[in-house]
Amino acid sequence: MRIDNDKLIAYYADPPQDVCLEDIDLNRIPRHVSLIMDGNGRWAESRGLPRHKGHVAGVDSLREAVTTSVRLGFDVLSVYAFSTENWKRPAREVNLLMRLFATTLVKELPLFFQENVRLKFLGDLDALPTETRNVFEEGLRKTESHTGMVFALAVNYGARAELTRAARMLASDVAAGNLNVDDIDEGALANRLYTQGLPDPELLIRTSGEMRLSNYLLWQLAYTEFYVTQKHWPDFSKWDMLRAICAFQGRNRRFGGVGES
Ligand code: IPE
Ligand code: IPE
Ligand code: MG
């Protein structure tokens, strides 16, 4: 996506001392950046607040991350909002999250219009409360003609469930005579994932210091660069996004080869 330099310079006026805008190569911005937004609970607990206040505070960080991603010219920003394992949490927290997803999307939809952002969901939406699913489906419908960045929200997403679903789809296509076993290749599998049509993430950012994937995008992250920050998600700002991009641009990506000399 084309980067509007003037907008970018205005947006990043006054950087903190450790962020050097000149170090960023605008020709090597990743196309797809993915976020594991973790640490909302710890952020709240460290302030003596109930966990859900952390989720509410996290919405502000997410809004800023979307705006920043548009300014930087990503084609795709994907974010992990609720995993297939997060149903294990207390019902009260799950219900609050489901309601927060719906109210936030309704409130933030104007931003998707202003920035020409297209919404996409990763995960099984059928298991969501009806109200949340209805709002999500309306968001999909209303933004489907948008041609700017894709914002992919992973809700009730688990990579193992996604891969199992893809295996089932392949098997039923073979059983129906629509696919030859010999035609099952990496592309055929990738086409049956929720991320179908999206490039793989080049950069994965996880907040709150945990060094694990927590069942996120196991297939798609095969050669993704990881960036982990100790900051909790509600403290993640546009400057942290720039720090991550800087770190990414300093990596030597070899893809199994011998890399750059
Ligand atoms: C991430 O923050 C948000 C979701 C998983 C929905 P957490 O709620 O996992 O916060 P911590 O990890 O408990 O601090
Ligand atoms: C990963 O965070 C899921 C999301 C951010 C939505 P978790 O907080 O659920 O991960 P674990 O339990 O620490 O691995
Ligand atoms: Mg967590």
Side-chain angles (χ1 to χ4, degrees), residues 20-256:
C20 184
L21 281 176
E22 290 81 59
D23 288 348
I24 305 247
D25 180 351
L26 292 179
N27 297 312
R28 286 199 306 129
I29 295 288
R31 286 180 66 197
H32 180 176
V33 174
S34 197
L35 292 164
I36 299 180
M37 309 183 288
D38 198 15
N40 292 350
R42 277 164 281 178
W43 181 90
E45 279 155 15
S46 72
R47 284 164 175 73
L49 299 169
R51 289 178 57 85
H52 82 266
K53 294 276 185 194
H55 300 315
V56 172
V59 171
D60 292 335
S61 296
L62 184 54
R63 187 188 310 106
E64 184 163 311
V66 170
T67 309
T68 305
S69 302
V70 171
R71 296 284 174 274
L72 286 170
F74 303 168
D75 290 339
V76 185
L77 175 73
S78 53
V79 305
Y80 203 8
F82 193 90
S83 74
T84 46
E85 287 69 38
N86 287 148
W87 297 106
K88 291 179 198 160
R89 295 186 179 205
R92 193 181 130 77
E93 181 172 344
V94 170
N95 293 338
L96 279 163
L97 278 167
M98 291 299 152
R99 218 168 310 133
L100 184 64
F101 295 148
T103 53
T104 302
L105 187 56
V106 169
K107 214 161 82 198
E108 301 296 337
L109 213 54
L111 179 69
F112 290 71
F113 280 84
Q114 186 190 310
E115 304 290 359
N116 193 22
V117 168
R118 182 158 64 88
L119 187 61
K120 189 176 169 79
F121 289 97
L122 314 177
D124 178 11
L125 301 189
D126 289 343
L128 303 183
T130 315
E131 191 212 336
T132 307
R133 208 178 54 224
N134 288 344
V135 169
F136 283 6
E137 279 163 5
E138 194 183 329
L140 281 176
R141 248 192 336 271
K142 286 189 167 163
T143 64
E144 69 187 350
S145 63
H146 292 183
T147 54
M149 187 182 80
V150 171
F151 174 63
L153 190 62
V155 179
N156 191 22
Y157 173 87
R160 288 183 172 182
E162 177 185 45
L163 288 163
T164 308
R165 172 179 171 268
R168 215 180 299 122
M169 289 163 96
L170 288 168
S172 65
D173 283 346
V174 170
N178 297 327
L179 182 69
N180 294 320
V181 170
D182 290 341
D183 291 333
I184 299 178
D185 55 12
E186 292 183 9
L189 197 145
N191 281 336
R192 288 163 177 84
L193 301 177
Y194 293 118
T195 48
Q196 189 260 327
L198 302 181
D200 287 337
E202 287 110 309
L203 173 63
L204 172 75
I205 301 170
R206 182 164 187 154
T207 56
S208 246
E210 243 60 81
M211 298 283 188
R212 55 175 172 259
L213 287 180
S214 304
N215 201 12
Y216 190 49
L217 301 180
L218 296 182
W219 171 278
Q220 298 86 341
L221 296 174
Y223 268 105
T224 302
E225 297 296 326
F226 290 1
Y227 178 88
V228 175
T229 167
Q230 295 302 318
K231 284 202 181 170
H232 298 314
W233 175 249
D235 289 328
F236 189 87
S237 73
K238 60 183 177 183
W239 305 114
D240 296 304
M241 184 75 91
L242 274 195
R243 290 182 181 104
I245 300 291
C246 261
F248 168 80
Q249 292 189 339
R251 303 279 174 88
N252 182 2
R253 305 186 74 199
R254 287 185 287 276
F255 300 100

